[in-house]
Structures are given as structure tokens and as C-alpha cells.
């Protein structure tokens, strides 16, 4: 018996959020008195796979099929279901991201498993299998008890700090008989570099809204992001207007991020925007309107003109 966890990679480098998923699966395995097995597909070096041992995976089932460098949802579902059956898995973990959304429900149906999306906590196994998750676009929390024998959990990225330890996982080649139709649905990679680091992995994010007035003013956002080593993000109208690329848009209809620090300048804080950022550990809001709703969600607020505040903040950061 082993808890299965799907890992994602970008050109052979395992994503930080997948390391978090492995660590999460390993903690669940500990609670259940068993081990964690990672499942990896595509072209990944052995050393990279062995490195998953430092995050708690004892074993990696590796499907070395170059077609799976792209996320073919049906093919990877087939891999996960086969791995779960081989390992007699009580729990299968994926990320709650664009890939997980395409794969986890398929796996759950095939294994007749309960599905918990957007998981924020380890399961409480004292009163069943209770997991905390976000609800109503991040406005509330729900506690879900999965009563099915097998459970599929989609972990919300950036919910836990990474704790790297010693250890190497053993890598076993795993083969699955694919069918042509398995390669009919492909999830295109959506991780793009914004600012200094990929937005989905970023611990620091500087974000701008319509208060910037136009794309020509984005330099002050980028300067602060550069000084901090942060990613850049934006509100939806900014992406809709073409001021910034769509992959930077966060919120209900955009990306969900949970960085340690989210700095929002010239963003009003509509509920649809907060849905994507309210999990941030610390929120700093810069807005000239003291009544802007975002201040209610902020840990720190600066009432002022972003054209003055941002350059001063950048100068202050550069002095450190
Ligand atoms: P505005 O609401 O126009 O706010 C601009 C802010 O900048 C104001 O608070 C203003 O006081 C401030 N400002 C102006 N000038 C300055 C200055 N010089 N210095 C400092 N502050 C200044 N939005 C998202 O962001 N993400 C989503 O995913 C999303 N999904 C949606 C889904 C649906 C179904 C719907 C209906 C809406 C969605 N929206 C989403 C839109 C959302 O409702 C808001 O309209 C949007 O977030 C507002 O963007 P904004 O804060 O940049 O602009």
C-alpha cells in the first residue's frame, strides 16, 4: 500500500509546487502508516527523480515516454490509475492546477474515489478523513469528509513550506499500454516567466491594476519586482485591455497564487480578484482611495499615489 502523487516538470526540472505535493503525500502516508510513491512521466533525469526522496517519496514510478512531456490528460490518467492499482493506494494526490483539473476527476471516476479539490490541510484522520478546502472563490473554508475507500486529493499550491531533508528515492521504470485516443486531449503548459520567476511558484509578487492607467507605466511595477526578485501579476481588466499578457492575470477567472508577499498597486480589490490572491501570507495594498475594498483584506495598506509610493519603495528595497 502506498500513497501516490503525480509530479509535474518543466523540461525535466520538477516544479516546486510538485515537490510540495510530494511532501504533502509523504505526510499523509505517515499518518496512514505507509509510504509515498511519486509518479513521473516524460523526459526527466534519474538524479532529478531520485531527488524526490528529499521530500519524502520512497519510490518513483517513471514512465519514460517522450510523448508525455506534454500533459496528455487521458494518458496520464491511465498511468495514475495503473499505478494506484499496483500500489493498492488509499490516496492519490495531484495539484489543484490546470493539469490537476484535467486529470484528477478522471482518475476519481475510474477508481470510484471521492475527490477533494483545493485542499489546504492535511487530512484529519481522527474523525474520518477531513480536509480543509477553500470555498466560494476563497471567501470561506469548507471541511470535507471523504468517506470513500479511495480518495483523490487536489492540493492547492503554496499551502505548505518546503522542508528539504536527506534521502534519495528509488526509481522504477513503469510501463502502461496506451491507446491512440489517450493522446487526444493535451493540456498546454501555462507556466510562463513573469518578472523574475514563474508566477505560480513565486514567493513574492508585485501586481498592478487599472490604477496604472496604461502599459507605458508598467516600468514602476517591474522595477519593484526586479529589486525584490519577484514575479509580476495584474488584475483582469489590465489583461483584457492588452496591457499585460493573460497568463499574468490573477483571480476567479485567472491564476490562483499563494505567495508569501503580494503587493497590489492600483487594484480596487473586487471579490473576483481576491479569489485568486486571498491565500497570500501577507498582502500589501497601495491605493489612493482610502475606501478601496482591498484595504479590508490587507495586512498593510498605503493610502497614496502609486506613482510616488512605488518608486520610493523600490529605492528602499535596493538599499537592503
Ligand atoms: P478598478 O476597479 O478600476 O480599480 C482601480 C483602482 O486603482 C481603484 O481602486 C483606484 O482607487 C486605484 N487607483 C487609481 N489611480 C491610482 C493611483 N494613481 N495610485 C493608487 N491607486 C490608484 N478581476 C480580476 O482581477 N481577476 C479576475 O479573475 C476577475 N474575474 C472576474 C469574473 C467575473 C465573472 C466578473 C464579473 C468580473 C471579474 N473580474 C476579475 C473583474 C473585477 O470584478 C474587477 O472589475 C477588477 O478586478 C477591477 O480591476 P482593477 O482593480 O484593476 O480596476
Amino acid at each position: 500500500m502506498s500513497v501516490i502523487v503525480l509530479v509535474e516538470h518543466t523540461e525535466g526540472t520538477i516544479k516546486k509546487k510538485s515537490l510540495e505535493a510530494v511532501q504533502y503525500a509523504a505526510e499523509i502516508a505517515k499518518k496512514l502508516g505507509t509510504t509515498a510513491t511519486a509518479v513521473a512521466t516524460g523526459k526527466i533525469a534519474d538524479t532529478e527523480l531520485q531527488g524526490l526522496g528529499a521530500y519524502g517519496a520512497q519510490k518513483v514510478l517513471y514512465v519514460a515516454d517522450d510523448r508525455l512531456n506534454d500533459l496528455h490528460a487521458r494518458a496520464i490518467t491511465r498511468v495514475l490509475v495503473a499505478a494506484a492499482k499496483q500500489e493498492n493506494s488509499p490516496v492519490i494526490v495531484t495539484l489543484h492546477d490546470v493539469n490537476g483539473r484535467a486529470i484528477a476527476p478522471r482518475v476519481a471516476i475510474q477508481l470510484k474515489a471521492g475527490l477533494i479539490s483545493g485542499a489546504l490541510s492535511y487530512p484529519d484522520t481522527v474523525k474520518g478523513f477531513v480536509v480543509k478546502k477553500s470555498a466560494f472563490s476563497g471567501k470561506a473554508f469548507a471541511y470535507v469528509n471523504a468517506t470513500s475507500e479511495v480518495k483523490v486529493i487536489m492540493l492547492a499550491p503554496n499551502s505548505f513550506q518546503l522542508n528539504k531533508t536527506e534521502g534519495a528515492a528509488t526509481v522504477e521504470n513503469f510501463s502502461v499500454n496506451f491507446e491512440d485516443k489517450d493522446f487526444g486531449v493535451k493540456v498546454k503548459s501555462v507556466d510562463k516567466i513573469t518578472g523574475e520567476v514563474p508566477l505560480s511558484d513565486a514567493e513574492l509578487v508585485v501586481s498592478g491594476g487599472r490604477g496604472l492607467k496604461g502599459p507605458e507605466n508598467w516600468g514602476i511595477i517591474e522595477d519593484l519586482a526586479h529589486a525584490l526578485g519577484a514575479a509580476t501579476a495584474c488584475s483582469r481588466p489590465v489583461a483584457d485591455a492588452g496591457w499585460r499578457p493573460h497568463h499574468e492575470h490573477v483571480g476567479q477567472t485567472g491564476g490562483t497564487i499563494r505567495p508569501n508577499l503580494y503587493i497590489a498597486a492600483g487594484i480596487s480589490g473586487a471579490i473576483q480578484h481576491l479569489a485568486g490572491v486571498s491565500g497570500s501570507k501577507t498582502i500589501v495594498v497601495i491605493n489612493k482611495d482610502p475606501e478601496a475594498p482591498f484595504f479590508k483584506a490587507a495586512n498593510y495598506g498605503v493610502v497614496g499615489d502609486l506613482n510616488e509610493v512605488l518608486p520610493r519603495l523600490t529605492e528602499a528595497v535596493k538599499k537592503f
Side-chain angles (χ1 to χ4, degrees), residues 31 33 74 77 86-87 134 137 150-151 167 215 228 242 273 293 295 300:
K31 273 175 176 271
R74 282 191 183 141
T77 298
Q86 174 183 297
E87 299 297 320
S134 60
S137 302
V150 179
K151 290 106 177 149
L228 286 167
H273 185 82
F295 283 122
Y300 301 95

Side-chain angles (χ1 to χ4, degrees), residues 104-113:
R106 289 184 157 94
V107 173
I109 286 169
Q110 293 197 24
L111 293 175
K112 296 192 172 30

Side-chain angles (χ1 to χ4, degrees), residues 158 161 202-207 228 257-264 274 277-286 294-295 297-301:
N158 296 329
Q161 288 287 347
E203 306 227 331
L204 309 173
V205 176
V206 184
S207 187
L228 286 167
I257 54 171
R258 307 172 65 78
N260 284 329
L261 175 65
Y262 183 70
I263 301 177
L274 293 177
V277 303
S278 58
S280 308
K281 307 278 181 308
T282 303
I283 296 178
V284 176
V285 168
I286 302 162
F294 218 152
F295 283 122
N299 300 89
Y300 301 95

